[in-house]
Amino acid sequence: MEQTPSRRVFLSVAATGVGGLLLTGAGLTPTGNRTTSRTLRRDPFTLGIASGDPSPDGVVLWTRLAPDPLGPQGLGGMPARDVEVEWQVAADENFTRVLRNGVETARRERAHSVHVELDGLEPGREYFYRFRAEGHLSPAGRTRTAPAAEAAPSPLTLAVAACAHYEHGYYTAYRRLAEQEPDLVVHLGDYMYEYAPQGYTAMGGAVREHTAGKCATLADYRMRHAQYKSDADLRAAHAVAPWLVAFDDHEVENNWAGKVSSTGDPEFTRRRANAFQAYYENMPLRGTSVPDGGSIRIHRRVDWGPLARFHLLDTRQFRDDQACQDGLRAGCDDRLATRRTLLGEDQRRWLLDGLASSRARWNLVAQQILMAQRDYRAGPGIEVNMDSWDGYAAERTRLLTGFRDSGAANPVVLTGDMHMHHAADLMLDFDDPDSPKVGVELVTSSIASDGDGYRDKARVAETIAENPHISYLDQRRGYIVCRITQEELQADFRTLDYISRRGAPAKTGARFTVPAGHSTLL
């Protein structure tokens, strides 16, 4: 999609926070004025701005003050006091038509993060927003409200992303995603990684280095989030559109399951609570997701007018421990046990009730781990990943049966985690080629995790032959862009040939279409 010159300027300025175009306008005084009131000597908006969870009349606006992102104790170099932050919403990117403004308090106990839950806006509209704190003006962001429930369905451009290990490569894929100017971004987890420097190495080695130590304390998680958001390409992706976010495992610890640490950490309960708090502080989430007693609510529904309903899932907090000691396993009968759960009974019922009550044309189930069966063993026998839905096979069957029986129109599962693109049909019985197909799954590759990636055609052909319900695999880095109308969902699997250096172009590696009323890929 070709950008207009004004959009190119907006993306550049939003990412860097410089340039006169967005620093003047009605309502907020430019940075150079009111110097007598400034006590923060350096720009506190180094982590950028973001928006999320749009509704027909509002959206969440986010920022976090951090003049020194990697400052001591994960507090971003902020003074030991609360700070008043002004915010402003305008109808245009020049801020000549300011519609709303107000003040929020950035509190020290929340790492000076700000979450503004707007309401009273018009549905289906584009807006621009920014913040000011003690004489410093933030870059501007572009956001959008959801269409009204009774509105005529209008097309939606949706980007899907996941898995961005900071050490493994540059975030060029985030930049390319931003340049496509989607209406909405869905991020499916592993937004940041908890490992110490070189704790998880990519084939090509590291291009940059994590902050010191493995994340355990609240300060550790806050600092790691700040390091990730110090990347200009990530900030640009946040600035261009509202996001729907849900974590996977690395925002806490690799392959954690419920209250069980994958490393046997005796302090895991505290560590998990620290990770949840830092996650909320650094994401554009509503107050319903404020951590409470060591838990956080991430599963939620977001409606996009009559066209789409998003069902965001939490596939970590309520699951049973992985069967058979985790990893790739063959002959693991425990994974088939009917009592095993990945979602937890309450969340599974919530999802199926939401599907049954949905009147949307498309039902998009946004979750983290591969739902389709994937056999990693060529030839006789089956070897599957215990951390994916294959490790919870009976609940998957119940869930996919629920997809079919709910009557929900056009279920499409959006997935992350795998570090490679997949396009698959979802079947009630993956071992029976004649089993009913009840939906499709679109799995995004990683933004950066595992480095440059590759295209092993022989391995791809072998995997697809073993798993005929999978139509496409690609081990290169990238993201997905979906264009959704009343008639069809079109998914472009975008790929980059390298991320070990900057500047790679993005191209479409494959395109699939799901016609409305069909439960299979074309």
Side-chain angles (χ1 to χ4, degrees):
M1 181 186 301
E2 186 65 25
Q3 299 172 36
T4 65
S6 64
R7 281 285 184 262
R8 291 187 185 276
V9 172
F10 168 71
L11 282 171
S12 174
V13 175
T16 63
V18 298
L21 176 65
L22 295 177
L23 295 183
T24 60
L28 292 183
T29 307
T31 301
N33 295 346
R34 295 184 63 188
T35 54
T36 56
S37 67
R38 182 189 301 176
T39 58
L40 295 175
R41 295 187 178 276
R42 289 180 291 173
D43 176 18
F45 294 108
T46 60
L47 307 184
I49 45 80
S51 66
D53 280 20
S55 66
D57 70 340
V59 69
V60 179
L61 307 181
W62 172 93
T63 193
R64 179 184 162 203
L65 307 182
D68 179 9
L70 303 185
Q73 303 304 310
L75 294 174
M78 287 294 291
R81 59 179 174 83
D82 297 344
V83 175
E84 297 299 294
V85 178
E86 300 170 69
W87 56 267
Q88 185 183 63
V89 175
D92 66 306
E93 60 196 88
N94 295 321
F95 286 81
T96 59
R97 294 174 56 207
V98 175
L99 304 175
R100 297 282 301 279
N101 58 73
V103 178
E104 290 284 331
T105 301
R107 301 192 182 280
R108 178 176 169 81
E109 65 265 25
R110 291 264 171 88
H112 293 98
S113 62
V114 173
H115 297 74
V116 181
E117 295 192 41
L118 285 174
D119 57 18
L121 299 179
E122 294 185 20
R125 281 278 308 275
E126 177 184 78
Y127 293 94
F128 297 84
Y129 64 98
R130 61 186 181 183
F131 300 89
R132 187 181 67 190
E134 298 189 355
H136 297 276
L137 196 62
S138 78
R142 167 182 177 250
T143 192
R144 180 177 293 276
T145 52
E150 66 277 8
S154 57
L156 167 65
T157 299
L158 165 72
V160 184
C163 304
H165 196 299
Y166 183 84
E167 293 188 330
H168 289 182
Y170 296 109
Y171 286 168
T172 311
Y174 277 139
R175 174 67 61 171
R176 300 293 171 252
L177 181 159
E179 289 168 352
Q180 296 202 249
E181 297 182 11
D183 300 313
L184 192 65
V185 177
V186 176
H187 198 286
L188 297 172
D190 295 346
Y191 181 95
M192 52 77 72
Y193 282 68
E194 84 287 9
Y195 293 109
Q198 299 295 303
Y200 163 25
T201 58
M203 185 182 302
V207 302
R208 44 192 181 178
E209 188 171 289
H210 271 158
T211 53
K214 184 177 181 179
C215 292
T217 68
L218 180 56
D220 293 338
Y221 284 105
R222 284 171 167 171
M223 193 177 299
R224 188 63 58 82
H225 274 282
Q227 181 179 40
Y228 277 55
K229 278 205 170 69
S230 67
D231 185 281
D233 293 336
L234 173 54
R235 295 198 306 272
H238 272 299
V240 79
W243 284 37
L244 305 180
V245 299
F247 55 66
D248 190 15
D249 54 340
H250 288 289
E251 289 87 349
V252 181
E253 176 192 76
N254 179 49
N255 282 19
W256 65 282
K259 297 182 179 180
V260 179
S261 165
S262 64
T263 62
D265 183 355
E267 298 295 323
F268 183 67
T269 298
R270 180 177 298 176
R271 183 180 176 199
R272 192 180 78 155
N274 291 335
F276 289 167
Q277 181 170 338
Y279 187 78
Y280 174 78
E281 290 170 350
N282 286 279
M283 293 293 158
L285 290 164
R286 293 185 180 273
T288 50
S289 293
V290 172
D292 178 26
S295 64
I296 183 172
R297 185 179 177 99
I298 289 298
H299 65 283
R300 60 202 190 279
R301 274 187 278 276
V302 174
D303 288 328
W304 194 266
L307 183 68
R309 168 171 280 189
F310 292 88
H311 312 257
L312 283 90
L313 302 188
D314 179 341
T315 58
R316 289 289 161 190
Q317 205 169 175
F318 311 110
R319 67 156 71 191
D320 292 328
D321 197 8
Q322 292 89 348
C324 299
Q325 304 302 308
D326 206 355
L328 295 179
R329 295 287 183 267
C332 177
D333 291 339
D334 285 351
R335 76 180 186 92
L336 306 174
T338 58
R339 69 180 184 281
R340 288 180 52 74
T341 183
L342 193 148
L343 297 178
E345 183 179 350
D346 290 345
Q347 185 182 192
R348 185 176 66 253
R349 185 183 307 114
W350 168 89
L351 173 59
L352 295 177
D353 287 348
L355 288 168
S357 65
S358 176
R359 298 295 175 263
R361 183 70 162 174
W362 297 89
N363 283 274
L364 304 170
V365 179
Q367 54 99 55
Q368 294 73 33
I369 54 173
L370 185 65
M371 188 171 287
Q373 179 173 288
R374 179 171 170 178
D375 180 5
Y376 286 80
R377 172 179 290 184
I382 183 171
E383 184 177 47
V384 295
N385 181 4
M386 295 298 105
D387 189 59
S388 74
W389 278 94
D390 281 330
Y392 305 80
E395 184 173 48
R396 176 176 60 194
T397 299
R398 292 197 297 273
L399 187 64
L400 293 178
T401 301
F403 279 21
R404 181 194 63 186
D405 296 345
S406 70
N410 302 308
V412 174
V413 175
L414 306 175
T415 300
D417 183 61
M418 291 295 292
H419 304 179
M420 63 180 70
H421 287 317
H422 290 62
D425 291 322
L426 294 174
M427 309 168 70
L428 294 184
D429 183 350
F430 290 100
D431 296 319
D432 177 2
D434 296 322
S435 179
K437 297 174 180 178
V438 298
V440 303
E441 183 174 21
L442 308 174
V443 183
T444 183
S445 187
S446 65
I447 292 292
S449 302
D450 284 340
D452 281 339
Y454 53 93
R455 181 72 169 141
D456 185 338
K457 293 182 179 180
R459 177 60 175 159
V460 167
E462 179 183 85
T463 302
I464 291 176
E466 198 67 33
N467 301 273
H469 52 280
I470 298 177
S471 300
Y472 171 65
L473 289 170
D474 197 315
Q475 304 100 326
R476 291 171 291 186
R477 308 287 71 84
Y479 55 94
I480 302 173
V481 174
C482 297
R483 294 174 179 86
I484 306 174
T485 67
Q486 279 275 84
E487 292 76 29
E488 65 180 23
L489 182 153
Q490 178 182 287
D492 287 358
F493 288 84
R494 304 285 285 171
T495 62
L496 289 77
D497 286 336
Y498 58 88
I499 57 166
S500 55
R501 60 190 192 278
R502 299 185 188 275
K507 57 191 176 185
T508 298
R511 173 176 292 169
F512 288 89
T513 299
V514 184
H518 291 70
S519 297
T520 189
L521 295 162
L522 296 179

